[in-house]
Amino acid sequence: MIQAILKRLLGAVPALIGVIIVTFILTRALPGDPAAYFAGASGSQEAIEEVRVKLGLDRSLPEQFFFYVRDLARGDWGSSLTTGQPVLTEIGERLPASLELTLVGLILAVVVAIPLGVLAATRPGSWVDHLCRGITTAGVSLPTFFTGLLLAYIFYFLLGWAPSPLGRLDPYTSAPDFVTGFYLIDSLIARDLETFRAAAAQLVLPAVTLALFVLAPLARMTRASMLGVLSADFVRTARASGLHPLTVLFTYAFRNALLPVLTTLGMVFSFLLGSNVLVEKVFAWPGIGSFAIEALVASDYAPVQGFVLAMALLYVLLNLMIDIAYGLVDPRARLQA
Amino acid sequence: MSALIPNAAAEGSIAISGTAAPKAPAALLLEVDQLAVEFRTRSGTVRALEDVSLALAEGETVGLVGESGSGKSVLSFAAMGIQDPAARITAGSLRFAGQDLLAHKGAAMKALRGREMAMIFQNPRVALNPIRAVGRQIEDVLARHTDLHAAARRRRAIECLAEVRIPDPERRYAAYPFELSGGMCQRVMIAIALACKPRLLIADEPTTGLDVTTQAAIMRLISELSAERRMATLLITHDLGLAREYCDRIAVMHAGHIVEVGPTETLFAAPRHPYTERLIAATPVGAASLDDLAAIEGNLPDLRRTDLPSCRFAERCARRGRECDAPLGLVAVGAQHSVACHRPLGTESAEAQHVAFA
Amino acid sequence: MASSTPALVSRPEPPPGPGLLLRQWRVLRYVVGENPLSAMAAGLFVGFVLLALFGPWLAPFDPLASHVGEPLSPPSAAHWFGTDALGRDILSRVIVATRLDLGIAVAAVALSFVIGGLMGAFAGYFGGWFDRASTRISDTIMAFPLFVLAMGIVAAMGNTVANIVLATAIINLPFYLRVARAEVRVLREAGFVEAARLAGNGEMRVLFHHLIPNIMPPMMVQISLNMGWAILNAAGLSFIGLGVRPPEAEWGIMVAEGAQYIVSGEWWIALFPGLVLMLAVFCFNLLGDSLRDLIDPRRRT
C-alpha cells in the first residue's frame, strides 16, 4: 500500500517538472526587458545592469533555470512591488481563505451532484432524470462571475437574507485566532459560535456560486457512469443472488461507478480553481485569486507568477490525492501501480 | 400442456428409451406455464416469448438450446425475476415448488431468489464485482439469506470456495476477480450461487468465454454438484453437444417459442421438428466431417413484426406447407416428447399430419 | 434518436467539395429536426451569427457614445436594456459586443483546432519522438488549472486581445491533440488506410487525404463542445481586467462594470450582458451535445 503511494508520488514528478519549466518560461516571456522592468521606471542604465546581474539575466538560460529552481526551493518567490512583501508570505497568508472557499464549494457540489446523478441513473426518463439533464446542460453554461452577481443581487439586495457580499467576515466581527486559517474551523476551536455563524453567512453565496458551476460535470459523470454500471454483468449477478436492492445499488453499483467520477474530479478541480479567481473578485474574497488580480491590474508580475505556480502546485497535489483515492477504491489500480 | 411435464407420460404404454432413464418420480420444482414476455421499445413491441411452457423436476438437468436471440436468456431471466425493466410478463404463470412466483408483485420470487433458486452467467470475469474480494461477494449472499454471524459467514465462504474445488480457499478468499483465471472466476460464481444450497440452478451459457479444457472442468463440476445435492439444473446453451452430454432432457427454442422437448437421446436419435434437425446437423458432434456441417438458412424473424406467422420457423422451413398457417401448440409425439409442428419429421407415412390441428 | 444515424458513423471515404457541404447541411437539418431544444439552439446560433456580422448596423445607438440617455436609467422604451453610469445604451453595447466575444472564441478555437489537430494527427500516425514530445506538452498544459494558466500567459505576454486569443488557444490545445491522436491511431489500422497505402500513396498523402478527412466528425464535436467554454474563458479573462480594455464593449467587461452597481440595485447594467453571454454559451453547449449524440450515439450521457 505504502509502496503504491510512493509510486504515485513519483508519478507526479513529470507534471511537477513541467509546471516549473512553464512558469520559468512565463517569467522570461515578460514583454520588453525584465531587467528594465524590475529596475523601475526611473532606473538608470547602471541600475538596469545591476538588476540584470542580480536576477541572473546575464547568464545562459540553463543557468537561469537552475537559479530559478534554487530560489523556488529556498522559498524565494520574489517580492510584490505594491506591498513590498515576499510573494510566498503573501500567498501563504491568503491561501487558507481560497482553500476554505474552494473546499466548501466542492463539498456542496459533491453532496448535491452525486445523489442527483445516482437518482437520475436509477430512474431513467423520470423527472429527476430530466432535472439532472437540465442542470448539467445549464450548469456548464453559467459564467461564474455572473451567477455570483445574480445571487448577490437576489439574496443580498432584494431579499436581504445574505450579508453584504464583501469579504470573509462582516466589519463588526473579528477573525478567530489563527489555527488552520479556515474561519469555520478556527471559530469552532475557539468555541465562538457567533463568529462561526458570521463566517458561514459570508461563505454561503460564493460557495454556492462555485458549486453551481462544478455541479454539472460531476452530476453528468455520475449519471453516465452509474447507468453503465447498472447494466453491467456483475450487477446482474448480484441481483440474481437476491441481494438487497440497496446492497446492489451501493456496495456493487455505486462503488464501481465512483471510479470514473474520481477521474472526472481532476477536471472539476481545474474548473474549481479557475472559477475560484472569478468568485473571489465578485465577492471581494481576500484569497490568492483577488491578490493575483490586484497584482495583474498593477502590472506587478512576481505575485502573478507566484500565484500561477502556487495554483499549479496545488492542482498537482490535488491530482495526486485523487490518484491515491483511486488506488484505495480500486484494487486493480492499487496492485498494478 | 401436460405433455411438457416429465414423467406425466402422454401415452403410458410407451417404454422410455435411451440413457435418460426416469428417476423415481420426482416432485415438480419449476413450472413455466404459457409464459409470454414482451419488450416495449421505441421501434415497436418485441414479442420475445410466447406461450412458453416448461417444467423441471427435482434433481433433473434440462437443456435449453437454440440460436442466439431465440429467447433462452429472456426465459431464464424472467424465471429469476431479473429481466430488463423494459420487459413485461403479459401472460402465463411461473411456479416454484408450487408457489406462484408472480403473485404479490413477485414477493415470493424475491424471497426465493439467491436462496432456493440461483443462477450463473457467461463471461465470469465480468460477472463478478471487480473491486470486491471474492470471499466478500460470497459473504454478501450469506448475510442476506442466513443468520450466520460475521465469523461464521467467513468460515462458510471459505467452505463454499472449497466445495467448488478451488485450491487454497483461505488465500483465494481475499483475491479479486482480476487476479483469478476465467475458470476460477466461474468456480467463484458457482460458489456464490450455491452458497445457500439452492434447489434450482440456472446456468446461462456457463462455459462461454472460457477455454476448452476449462469448459469441460466447469461442466463436470456443475453436473457433480447437481447430482450430489439433487439440484434441478437448467442448462442454457447454444452448444447441442454440451447439452447432449449433460442433460436428461432438452428443450429447443426458436424465436421465442419452444418448438420441441424430449429426452436427450430421443431428440438426437429422432428429432421431430425440422429446426431441431437442422440444429443437430449444424453441430460438430453429430457430423462426421466439417463438410457435413450445414448452416441453418435464413435468420430469426424480426419479433417486432405484427404479422408473425403462427409457426415462427415457417419462413425458414423447407417442409412448409399450406397447413402451416394454422394455429400451433406443442403436441405429444412420444414419452415426454412433444413438438410444435404441423408437418413433423418421421410422420410422412403415418396419418399423424392431420391430428395436430388445434 | 439512436435508430437512424446518417452515414457519418461508418466513416466512408469523403466525397469531394460539394458532397461534403451537402452532407453537413443534412446533418444540421437532422439535428434541428430531432429535438426541439436543438432547434432552439440552432435558431439562437443563427441569431448570434447575424448579430456578430451585422451588429454595428443593428444597434440603435452608438455603443461608445456616452449620454445618449440619462445615466443609470432602468430599461425603458427608448433604452430596452437601460443605460450605464456614463449614459451609454446597454442594448447597443450588448449587440456590438457579440462580434468581439464570438470573434475571440472562434479565433482561439480555430487556432487550437488546426495546431492541436495537426499535432495530434502526426503524433498518432507516425508515433515516435514527436508523439512523445507532443503528449508531454499536452500533459504539461493539463497539469495547470486551465483558467489560471491562461491568466499567467496573458500576464506574461502582455495584456492584449491577441494574447487572450493565444492563451485560450493554448489551454484548449490538449483536447484537440488528444482527440486527433486517438482517432488517427484507431483509423491507422483500418482497412481503407491500408488499401490506400498499398495503392502506392505516400505517407503524407494517406494522412492528409484519407485519415484527416475521416477524423473530422469527432473533431467537429470537440469544436462545438469547446466553443461555449472558450467564450466563457475569454469573458472571464476580460472580467478580471485582462485583454479587452474599456470603453470597448465586451460582455465580460460590461458585467464587471455593472458589478459595483448591483449592490445598490442597478441590476440591468450587469444583467443583460451576463444573460446574453449565458445564452450564447448555452446555445453552443446544446449544439455540441446534439452533434455528439448524432455522431457518436454511444457516448451520449
Side-chain angles (χ1 to χ4, degrees), chain B residues 36-53:
Chain B
V37 172
E38 289 180 359
F39 288 88
R40 308 238 161 92
T41 69
R42 279 196 213 180
S43 51
T45 301
V46 180
R47 292 190 278 158
L49 291 183
E50 224 172 49
D51 194 19
V52 167
S53 300

Side-chain angles (χ1 to χ4, degrees), chain A residues 29 31 141 153 220 223 301 315, chain C residues 143 146 155-156 267 285 289 292 301:
Chain A
S141 310
Y153 178 69
R220 188 187 191 120
R223 177 179 172 276
Y301 291 107
Y315 186 53
Chain C
L146 295 177
W267 48 269
N285 284 342
D289 280 350
R292 177 185 44 198
T301 54

Side-chain angles (χ1 to χ4, degrees), chain C residues 112-295:
Chain C
S112 37
F113 165 69
V114 172
I115 298 173
L118 281 179
M119 277 173 76
F122 271 85
Y125 191 67
F126 295 109
W129 67 268
F130 186 79
D131 186 20
R132 283 194 298 277
S134 56
T135 306
R136 174 64 59 216
I137 290 174
S138 93
D139 284 355
T140 303
I141 295 174
M142 295 297 284
F144 284 86
L146 295 177
F147 184 75
V148 172
L149 180 62
M151 278 174 71
I153 293 172
V154 177
M157 307 203 29
N159 197 347
T160 63
V161 173
N163 284 337
I164 294 266
V165 170
L166 194 66
T168 310
I170 289 176
I171 63 172
N172 282 325
L173 198 75
F175 300 103
Y176 293 92
L177 201 152
R178 285 175 181 188
V179 170
R181 178 173 177 273
E183 294 286 332
V184 166
R185 277 168 74 96
V186 171
L187 284 181
R188 193 175 55 176
E189 313 301 335
F192 73 92
V193 174
E194 194 53 39
R197 216 177 281 138
L198 290 176
N201 290 295
E203 297 283 20
M204 281 300 172
R205 202 183 148 78
V206 171
L207 184 58
F208 279 91
H209 287 255
H210 297 275
L211 279 173
I212 290 184
N214 278 294
I215 65 168
M216 280 305 142
M219 293 295 275
M220 289 297 156
V221 172
Q222 189 60 44
I223 286 188
S224 57
L225 288 173
N226 207 207
M227 269 299 284
W229 195 61
I231 297 175
L232 266 189
N233 218 65
L237 288 174
S238 38
F239 177 80
I240 59 174
L242 289 176
V244 187
R245 309 274 179 111
E248 190 89 32
E250 192 276 342
W251 296 332
I253 243 180
M254 291 174 71
V255 175
E257 286 167 354
Q260 52 182 312
Y261 295 99
I262 229 164
V263 285
S264 51
E266 280 99 8
W267 48 269
W268 57 90
I269 307 174
L271 181 80
F272 290 110
L275 271 187
V276 172
L277 168 64
M278 203 168 90
L279 213 57
V281 178
F282 188 59
C283 151
F284 279 105
N285 284 342
L286 269 183
L287 281 184
D289 280 350
S290 315
L291 205 57
R292 177 185 44 198
D293 289 355
L294 182 70
I295 289 176

Side-chain angles (χ1 to χ4, degrees), chain B residues 314-331:
Chain B
E315 287 162 4
R316 310 167 74 178
C317 185
R319 296 170 58 84
R320 183 181 188 175
R322 245 180 300 134
E323 64 269 44
C324 290
D325 294 330
L328 186 68
L330 278 167
V331 173

Side-chain angles (χ1 to χ4, degrees), chain B residues 50 63 67 77 81 99 101 124 187 237 252 257 264 309-310 336 351:
Chain B
E50 224 172 49
E67 290 162 89
F77 287 14
Q99 279 188 70
L101 290 178
R187 283 170 196 270
T237 178
V252 181
H257 284 158
T264 304
S310 62
Q336 300 186 41
E351 60 290 316

